[in-house]
Amino acid sequence: SVQDLPEALHLTEIKGDVTFDRVTFAYEQSKPVLSDISLHASPGQIIALVGPTGAGKTTMIKLLSRFYDVNTGVISLDQHDIRTVRQDALRKQLGIVLQETFLFSGTVIENIRYGRLDATDEDVIAAAQLANADHFIRLLPQGYQTSVSEQGHNFSQGQRQLLAIARAILANPRILILDEATSSVDTRTEMHLQEALLHLMEGRTTFVIAHRLSTIRKADHVLVINDHCIIEQGTHTQLLEQGGFYHDLYMLQYRHNETLT
């Protein structure tokens, strides 16, 4: 149902400045999912979205990707209302790493190259090196030419995530979205993923939906979403010191894994 305007802008280069200005949205008119959401992400900032399941975090990302249009309010990219930007141009600026990575049948190098189809083999390998994936790929039977089964079931969850990160690095987006990107791996694998994600986030505006504190700690700004709206915001340290909803969420979900600082 989302349509481009006849005169929609074809943005090719952006800084990555994102603003939500009093955004309200509902999938069904009587059931609001987001209410009066406002935020600003400057180019290169890391914004963490935290809150219980169903609070509206993923919906915010769907709206930014323009899979839906807002009911009221405006989402802007570099001061352009995204409803005035061509959808294909908008999405070329977005790189998304999800909890469940989709790999298709083919080779490893083809799966990474999907991030930018005109990339050379050297470009693909360089992206894999930045993603900490090159080492395990070279240990595979045919290296980068190793076959990948449909959905990548012949690779571990951590390996699939590293390939997804390499794909995103190759795409070189200005805006990065990490939706629970490390929530399904063990602690040791997460360390390798975190290092790869740091390479990926460098210089990009990043939105992180995360349950693991190690990712949230690196955020420039944390938005706590509950009951369809932003109820707290600040840095990780500031929110802990406030002793509010974020503090309670931390104590319940993170204390057994992290040391309170």
Side-chain angles (χ1 to χ4, degrees):
S1 62
V2 175
Q3 300 292 326
D4 286 341
L5 297 172
E7 67 278 13
L9 301 172
H10 183 66
L11 297 181
T12 56
E13 293 187 12
I14 66 168
K15 296 177 181 178
D17 188 282
V18 176
T19 300
F20 280 60
D21 184 10
R22 307 197 70 174
V23 167
T24 296
F25 176 77
Y27 295 104
E28 300 177 26
Q29 189 171 2
S30 61
K31 298 179 180 179
V33 179
L34 296 173
S35 179
D36 202 31
I37 296 291
S38 294
L39 68 89
H40 177 244
S42 298
Q45 277 195 322
I46 301 173
I47 307 296
L49 307 177
V50 180
T53 301
K57 305 183 298 297
T58 299
T59 297
M60 291 176 62
I61 299 307
K62 290 178 180 178
L63 293 174
L64 176 59
S65 305
R66 207 169 168 233
F67 296 134
Y68 301 90
D69 278 334
V70 300
N71 298 139
T72 61
V74 177
I75 300 175
S76 300
L77 175 60
D78 286 9
Q79 287 74 57
H80 297 286
D81 184 333
I82 63 171
R83 290 171 293 191
T84 68
V85 178
R86 282 176 47 175
Q87 293 175 66
D88 59 346
L90 170 67
R91 291 171 189 153
K92 281 183 179 178
Q93 306 292 343
L94 303 176
I96 303 177
V97 181
L98 304 173
Q99 178 180 350
E100 291 297 328
T101 300
F102 181 79
L103 301 180
F104 55 84
S105 58
T107 64
V108 169
I109 200 166
E110 288 170 342
N111 269 274
I112 298 175
R113 186 178 278 121
Y114 189 69
R116 180 161 57 86
L117 296 178
D118 62 351
T120 65
D121 288 357
E122 290 75 18
D123 292 334
V124 172
I125 293 170
Q129 289 171 338
L130 284 174
N132 284 348
D134 181 71
H135 177 70
F136 92 80
I137 293 171
R138 293 189 182 277
L139 295 177
L140 297 172
Q142 284 83 43
Y144 282 85
Q145 299 303 321
T146 299
S147 295
V148 179
S149 66
E150 188 69 33
Q151 298 185 3
H153 289 313
N154 56 330
F155 290 85
S156 70
Q157 175 70 22
Q159 290 172 332
R160 293 198 297 271
Q161 290 292 70
L162 289 175
L163 293 178
I165 293 169
R167 182 189 284 171
I169 289 174
L170 189 65
N172 195 28
R174 293 304 308 147
I175 298 173
L176 181 65
I177 297 166
L178 307 176
D179 191 346
E180 305 286 8
T182 66
S183 64
S184 297
V185 297
D186 59 74
T187 303
R188 178 172 294 183
T189 302
E190 186 191 12
M191 291 174 61
H192 293 290
L193 287 174
Q194 289 292 347
E195 186 176 342
L197 288 172
L198 285 175
H199 287 301
L200 179 55
M201 290 188 289
E202 188 173 350
R204 309 178 203 278
T205 306
T206 303
F207 291 89
V208 180
I209 299 175
H211 284 166
R212 294 215 178 170
L213 188 60
S214 52
T215 302
I216 300 170
R217 273 182 171 166
K218 297 176 178 65
D220 297 296
H221 205 65
V222 180
L223 303 175
V224 184
I225 303 169
N226 193 33
D227 293 332
H228 320 301
C229 60
I230 297 172
I231 61 170
E232 295 175 358
Q233 54 185 302
T235 65
H236 163 71
T237 302
Q238 289 170 343
L239 291 173
L240 284 182
E241 291 174 349
Q242 287 178 17
F245 187 92
Y246 180 85
H247 175 271
D248 294 343
L249 190 68
Y250 167 81
M251 296 300 288
L252 285 172
Q253 298 187 13
Y254 305 136
R255 192 176 184 184
H256 65 288
N257 288 327
E258 305 282 350
T259 301
L260 182 60
T261 59

